[in-house]
Amino acid sequence: MYRKVHNFLITLCLITFYFNFNLFITIKPFSSNNVIKNIEYLSSQELRGRLPGTIENIQAAQYVKDKFIENKLSPFNNNYYQSFQYYYPERIEGDPYLKVFNVDGELIRNYTYGKDFKEDLINFRNNKIRFNRTANLVFKNDFFTISQGKDEVLFFTPEKDNLSFRSSFMYNAKMDMYVMVTKSTRDELKKFIDSDFTIECFIPYKISKTNLYNITAMINGVNSDKSPIVVSSHFDHVGTDLSNITYPGALDNASGTAFVIEMSKYINSLGKPKRNILFLSFNAEEFGLIGSTEFAKKYYSLLKNSKIFNFDMVGTNNSAPLCIMGGKKDSVCSPIIKSVSDTCSKEKIYFNYLFDDSSDHYSFRKLGIDAITFIDNDVTRIHTPNDKATFISSKSIDRCFKVASKEIIKNAFDNDPFILYNNELTLASLMFIIILFILECKDME
């Protein structure tokens, strides 16, 4: 009886080892170094901040598409691109200026761009205004507004006089133009206006309309009738300023895009999932979640029972928790959030919750589709020229992968233990074979 049990155990271990070893050698491991390399390119000077509507944004889209093809993903709905039209701020001829003229029309002050004033990207329904104290002016502590005819313009002082922050473009923003000024500039302008001097400001942008593109790829599953699992990010950012200083957007969000690219390679090497997995890279997130809204609206009937795993700002080198971001109406008890938080706890991951509608998960949550965003909640450098790849940490990337991969696999592969724990099973079965072999040798002595 002992011999039969012994032989059965050896046979079982050999089968387990053979199965797992074959799976082990076909898996393409997730590499944070590859993620960082892709972040470096996407946030490079060559792509100049990836502003929607620019050639560099198109180049970034092409790069993501090529990476999905390289990772052997199929086009979604027979196309790697989803096209949609939207507005964008287009650079036009001319130099920015903020000037002051006295009552005789003589130029008495010409402020320096980037030092005394600078555009904020929010809106450019109007790009030039000339006014004096006859306009409808409202002064507050750190801003003043001008209403003149149909024109409404806001001049404001950012915190600590820091003119480097660049907001997202919002076509439907309340004001027609937003201009940042330092405190001393604001105070001087107030005095000039009180003296009935004339202020003139010009910012060389106009609003244009163009075709923009989401990148859409997939892994085909066994049952394509089931709602797919979605793995997503956004690849756009806020471009360059009028001095051609680039806002690289390494953490926000070259990091999430590079993470999704690498995740697609890893997941596709695990074998055929039970359902389709979509890998999506959205455009115009910085314009108000436009790309993800277009996708969610168009494919709602397909996605209504999906789970969306979105990645935005993954890889900070600052001490920040991995945040599970749900919508404002979500809570720690929302099923998808509860599942991810349980995995974080089991893996002893430093994490926190964030409930906000400020990333692409919201485009799905507002339609009742389960969705979260994985995000390192570090805003110290985002939307500034200092959001560079040199500040990306592989440890933070690996931390996110440790949690996200398990959640994606659990949902897409029906929690297959041979995928989730392949390494552990392979080593365990090998060790057990060695132990049984040693015991066998002792019995033969």
Side-chain angles (χ1 to χ4, degrees):
M1 182 65 181
Y2 167 78
R3 178 59 56 188
K4 288 182 179 179
V5 173
H6 185 268
N7 289 339
F8 172 76
L9 289 174
I10 289 179
T11 302
L12 181 62
C13 285
L14 285 171
I15 292 171
T16 303
F17 177 75
Y18 175 79
F19 178 85
N20 279 279
F21 183 73
N22 277 300
L23 188 58
F24 177 76
I25 62 176
T26 62
I27 290 177
K28 295 180 179 177
F30 183 94
S31 168
S32 57
N33 287 333
N34 287 345
V35 175
I36 291 173
K37 286 178 183 177
N38 284 325
I39 292 172
E40 287 172 345
Y41 176 70
L42 288 167
S43 61
S44 67
Q45 184 63 31
E46 181 180 343
L47 294 190
R48 293 171 54 82
R50 312 182 303 280
L51 181 75
T54 64
I55 188 65
E56 291 82 15
N57 181 269
I58 294 172
Q59 286 178 271
Q62 177 76 42
Y63 182 81
V64 176
K65 184 201 82 168
D66 290 346
K67 286 295 180 180
F68 282 158
I69 293 172
E70 182 182 310
N71 293 341
K72 297 181 171 55
L73 271 61
S74 303
F76 169 71
N77 203 25
N78 298 315
N79 202 329
Y80 286 107
Y81 290 118
Q82 180 199 5
S83 174
F84 59 95
Q85 284 199 326
Y86 201 67
Y87 303 94
Y88 77 103
E90 180 184 2
R91 174 72 187 271
I92 60 175
E93 290 295 322
D95 296 322
Y97 61 76
L98 177 60
K99 298 177 179 179
V100 181
F101 300 87
N102 66 18
V103 291
D104 296 322
E106 298 170 330
L107 177 65
I108 62 167
R109 187 77 162 88
N110 193 357
Y111 289 99
T112 302
Y113 175 83
K115 178 184 176 185
D116 302 316
F117 79 102
K118 192 174 182 180
E119 81 287 350
D120 203 359
L121 195 66
I122 300 175
N123 206 347
F124 298 100
R125 282 192 298 266
N126 189 15
N127 57 24
K128 185 176 182 180
I129 190 165
R130 182 182 175 92
F131 65 95
N132 57 28
R133 68 182 181 185
T134 62
N136 184 10
L137 297 161
V138 177
F139 284 89
K140 298 292 184 180
N141 287 336
D142 56 357
F143 71 89
F144 66 93
T145 61
I146 307 105
S147 298
Q148 188 169 255
K150 294 182 179 180
D151 298 330
E152 289 190 285
V153 175
L154 173 71
F155 285 80
F156 70 98
T157 300
E159 187 176 357
K160 297 180 180 179
D161 275 356
N162 183 3
L163 302 182
S164 67
F165 185 84
R166 192 168 175 83
S167 298
S168 299
F169 171 74
M170 296 292 165
Y171 172 69
N172 293 318
K174 181 180 178 181
M175 296 289 175
D176 298 305
M177 183 169 67
Y178 294 74
V179 182
M180 297 184 288
V181 291
T182 61
K183 182 180 182 302
S184 61
T185 301
R186 184 197 68 216
D187 292 345
E188 284 183 7
L189 290 175
K190 175 70 165 59
K191 292 178 181 178
F192 287 137
I193 292 167
D194 289 341
S195 300
D196 200 24
F197 291 0
T198 298
I199 314 298
E200 189 171 306
C201 183
F202 170 62
I203 304 292
Y205 281 103
K206 69 176 183 178
I207 294 178
S208 298
K209 200 170 189 179
T210 190
N211 286 322
L212 301 176
Y213 302 94
N214 292 328
I215 314 305
T216 58
M218 66 183 294
I219 298 171
N220 291 290
V222 173
N223 188 348
S224 59
D225 292 332
K226 287 186 175 182
S227 290
I229 300 301
V230 174
V231 183
S232 65
S233 66
H234 76 90
F235 69 88
D236 63 299
H237 199 50
V238 296
T240 62
D241 68 13
L242 295 170
S243 293
N244 290 319
I245 294 173
T246 296
Y247 286 66
L251 185 62
D252 182 21
N253 186 35
S255 66
T257 301
F259 188 96
V260 168
I261 289 170
E262 187 66 11
M263 182 70 84
S264 74
K265 181 197 73 176
Y266 168 72
I267 294 293
N268 205 21
S269 73
L270 300 181
K272 203 173 185 70
K274 301 295 184 182
R275 61 182 69 197
N276 294 343
I277 307 175
L278 307 188
F279 288 87
L280 309 175
S281 197
F282 299 122
N283 207 346
E285 189 268 358
E286 298 289 1
F287 289 5
L289 316 180
I290 304 303
S292 57
T293 297
E294 290 288 331
F295 188 87
K297 180 174 60 177
K298 183 173 182 177
Y299 295 106
Y300 170 74
S301 60
L302 173 69
L303 299 168
K304 59 185 177 181
N305 294 313
S306 292
K307 293 189 186 302
I308 317 296
F309 298 97
N310 187 57
F311 298 86
D312 195 344
M313 295 168 51
V314 175
T316 181
N317 68 346
N318 284 331
S319 179
L322 173 63
C323 276
I324 308 165
M325 184 194 287
K328 285 183 178 179
K329 295 182 180 179
D330 286 320
S331 73
V332 295
C333 296
S334 299
I336 189 172
I337 293 174
K338 181 69 166 61
S339 177
V340 176
S341 64
D342 286 347
T343 299
C344 286
S345 297
K346 288 175 185 175
E347 297 296 330
K348 297 180 172 54
I349 298 295
Y350 173 40
F351 80 100
N352 207 338
Y353 302 100
L354 189 59
F355 299 103
D356 206 337
D357 299 336
S358 58
S359 191
D360 286 311
H361 65 282
Y362 177 61
S363 300
F364 302 92
R365 289 304 296 129
K366 67 184 178 183
L367 297 176
I369 302 167
D370 286 343
I372 60 163
T373 291
F374 290 92
I375 181 170
D376 293 342
N377 192 21
D378 173 17
V379 297
T380 55
R381 303 185 187 100
I382 66 166
H383 286 230
T384 74
N386 211 29
D387 183 10
K388 299 176 181 178
T390 51
F391 298 113
I392 296 294
S393 164
S394 60
K395 288 183 179 179
S396 293
I397 294 169
D398 289 336
R399 176 180 69 178
C400 185
F401 172 75
K402 196 172 186 180
V403 177
S405 60
K406 286 183 168 57
E407 290 299 307
I408 294 166
I409 291 169
K410 181 167 64 177
N411 284 279
F413 291 85
D414 286 350
N415 203 13
D416 188 339
F418 288 105
I419 294 174
L420 281 172
Y421 307 111
N422 177 63
N423 292 358
E424 290 84 350
L425 282 170
T426 302
L427 292 172
S429 57
L430 179 60
M431 290 300 297
F432 199 37
I433 290 169
I434 293 171
I435 291 170
L436 288 174
F437 178 76
I438 292 171
L439 292 173
E440 178 71 15
C441 290
K442 287 186 177 181
D443 287 345
M444 293 175 62
E445 290 177 355

